[in-house]
Amino acid sequence: MASTNHSLLSIFSFDEWNSFGTLHIRTTSFEPWQWLMIITGALTLLTALAFWFLFPDSPTTAWFLTMEERAKAIRRIKENQTGVENKQFKKDQMIEAFTDPKTWLFALFSALDNVPNSLTNQRQIIVASFGFSLLQTTLLSCVDGVIEIITIWVGISIASRIPNSRAYVGAIFMVPNLLGVFMMNFLPWSNQIGLLFAEWLTGVGTTGFVLALAWLSSVTSGHTKKVTVNAIMLSAYCVGNAAGPFMWQAQYKPRNHVPWIIIGVCYLLCMILLLVLRFIMNKENKRRDAETRDTTYDEIYVERKNSDGSIGKIRVDKEYLDLTDIQNRDFRYVL
């Protein structure tokens, strides 16, 4: 997950450099912005095709892994109690996804965290308002991608080395965002460099969202439930991105105090939500530790036709059953 997100942020950073480069393209057939759309669109299409043909459905079909490595991947899934992918749709898992409180807490986090994402579209306008030229503004925008790559790599590295620290790391990395919002509101408009650094600080908190995406996958088990929860999270992501642009109104320019205050409140609430999620799941872990072990799924057998035509029964370990994190009482939430 860490390497995937690092690669994605590398693409985002490349997009900034691409924007700067296309401004220097001079052709009679297309404008620079049209070349930007053509280049990024082609790259997106190629990436989609690569995922379609090269990305495996599960560890058992991972073409780039040896048989031994596939076995290790399966054993890791067994240890995590997250189960092997089962593409059979299960209505009860979908209902559980909708009734699980943490689903909606993650969704609320996703929506709130992406309201400030409207900065992506406003960033160049804001930087230009500091007094920079068009080319300078485009070039300075590349710094945002670099900051996100570095901070996400650092944040993921810390979270992977310190057990059960995802919520804490995500919340801490949003503190610079609040500092950036504070500086944007209170620094004098003449402080061009200070305002620029304040704007850059608002990109550090992306680490929290990346960690939340990985965290959601780790604390959700059951294929249908995972698909449903991810769909809800993505829908909330879209809602946040759709709502964000409405706060950038002409009457708030040039300081945009109201949008920046809204952004600050969103980041503060996101920090609280991460800690609330951790509290809830930690409490549930302790409750499961204290309860009598559930043996409901210990003796599950499936029938298999043997080579001689006879039907035999094979015991399936609980870890390989398509159980949700609520059904499997041996499941422990990563914090």
Side-chain angles (χ1 to χ4, degrees):
M1 183 67 182
S3 60
T4 301
N5 287 311
H6 182 79
S7 299
L8 288 173
L9 265 296
S10 298
I11 293 172
F12 297 155
S13 181
F14 166 78
D15 193 45
E16 300 291 351
W17 290 104
N18 186 30
S19 300
F20 178 73
T22 52
L23 286 174
H24 294 80
I25 297 177
R26 297 290 182 267
T27 61
T28 56
S29 54
F30 295 107
E31 295 293 328
W33 67 267
Q34 291 175 312
W35 278 113
L36 176 63
M37 295 297 103
I38 292 171
I39 294 171
T40 54
L43 289 173
T44 301
L45 178 60
L46 290 174
T47 303
L49 291 173
F51 268 90
W52 179 267
F53 290 107
L54 301 177
F55 202 77
D57 292 331
S58 73
T60 58
T61 59
W63 54 269
F64 50 84
L65 297 178
T66 64
M67 293 303 294
E68 182 182 355
E69 289 170 336
R70 293 182 191 183
K72 288 180 179 178
I74 295 296
R75 284 197 295 271
R76 182 179 179 183
I77 291 174
K78 180 178 180 179
E79 293 171 0
N80 293 344
Q81 302 273 339
T82 52
V84 181
E85 180 183 16
N86 184 330
K87 293 187 177 180
Q88 179 184 358
F89 178 81
K90 296 182 178 179
K91 183 179 178 180
D92 61 314
Q93 289 196 13
M94 183 190 72
I95 294 173
E96 182 180 309
F98 279 106
T99 56
D100 190 344
K102 71 176 185 295
T103 298
W104 299 106
L105 289 174
F106 271 111
L108 181 59
F109 171 87
S110 180
L112 290 173
D113 191 68
N114 283 283
V115 169
N117 206 31
S118 58
L119 276 171
T120 303
N121 299 323
Q122 298 293 327
R123 201 177 301 278
Q124 290 194 347
I125 298 175
I126 293 171
V127 174
S129 69
F130 298 157
F132 295 101
S133 68
L134 177 61
L135 285 175
Q136 288 174 332
T137 298
T138 306
L139 186 59
L140 288 170
S141 297
C142 299
V143 178
D144 297 281
V146 174
I147 289 174
E148 289 182 354
I149 290 173
I150 294 173
T151 53
I152 287 176
W153 180 80
V154 171
I156 290 175
S157 298
I158 294 173
S160 63
R161 285 168 173 75
I162 303 177
N164 296 322
S165 63
R166 298 186 185 192
Y168 293 145
V169 174
I172 289 171
F173 269 73
M174 287 185 175
V175 173
N177 291 54
L178 294 178
L179 177 60
V181 170
F182 182 86
M183 292 170 64
M184 287 297 298
N185 275 294
F186 293 103
L187 282 179
W189 195 242
S190 58
N191 191 342
Q192 186 184 49
I193 302 302
L195 291 170
L196 181 62
F197 272 87
E199 192 274 331
W200 283 340
L201 280 174
T202 59
V204 176
T206 307
T207 304
F209 184 68
V210 172
L211 286 172
L213 289 176
W215 195 17
L216 177 64
S217 178
S218 300
V219 298
T220 308
S221 183
H223 177 67
T224 303
K225 183 177 182 180
K226 271 191 174 183
V227 171
T228 306
V229 169
N230 285 332
I232 293 172
M233 183 96 166
L234 178 60
S235 298
Y237 167 90
C238 295
V239 169
N241 277 283
F246 288 101
M247 64 184 175
W248 300 97
Q249 302 293 329
Q251 64 263 34
Y252 303 139
K253 293 181 179 180
R255 293 307 302 256
N256 291 305
H257 286 301
V258 172
W260 282 114
I261 290 172
I262 294 173
I263 289 172
V265 171
C266 286
Y267 283 134
L268 180 61
L269 291 175
C270 284
M271 294 170 66
I272 294 172
L273 283 171
L274 287 176
L275 298 177
V276 168
L277 279 163
R278 190 187 193 282
F279 173 80
I280 291 173
M281 287 186 278
N282 186 41
K283 184 178 180 180
E284 177 62 18
N285 282 345
K286 291 179 179 178
R287 188 166 73 89
R288 294 187 184 190
D289 289 340
E291 67 185 17
T292 304
R293 186 177 180 278
D294 181 21
T295 59
T296 304
Y297 300 99
D298 283 358
E299 299 297 327
I300 302 295
Y301 294 86
V302 295
E303 293 184 347
R304 187 178 71 174
K305 190 174 183 179
N306 299 321
S307 57
D308 59 359
S310 62
I311 302 298
K313 289 187 176 182
I314 300 177
R315 182 177 177 275
V316 180
D317 291 338
K318 180 190 292 187
E319 295 84 2
Y320 298 128
L321 297 174
D322 188 31
L323 300 177
T324 68
D325 51 281
I326 292 179
Q327 291 172 332
N328 184 0
R329 306 308 293 174
D330 289 336
F331 186 97
R332 294 297 181 270
Y333 294 106
V334 178
L335 305 175

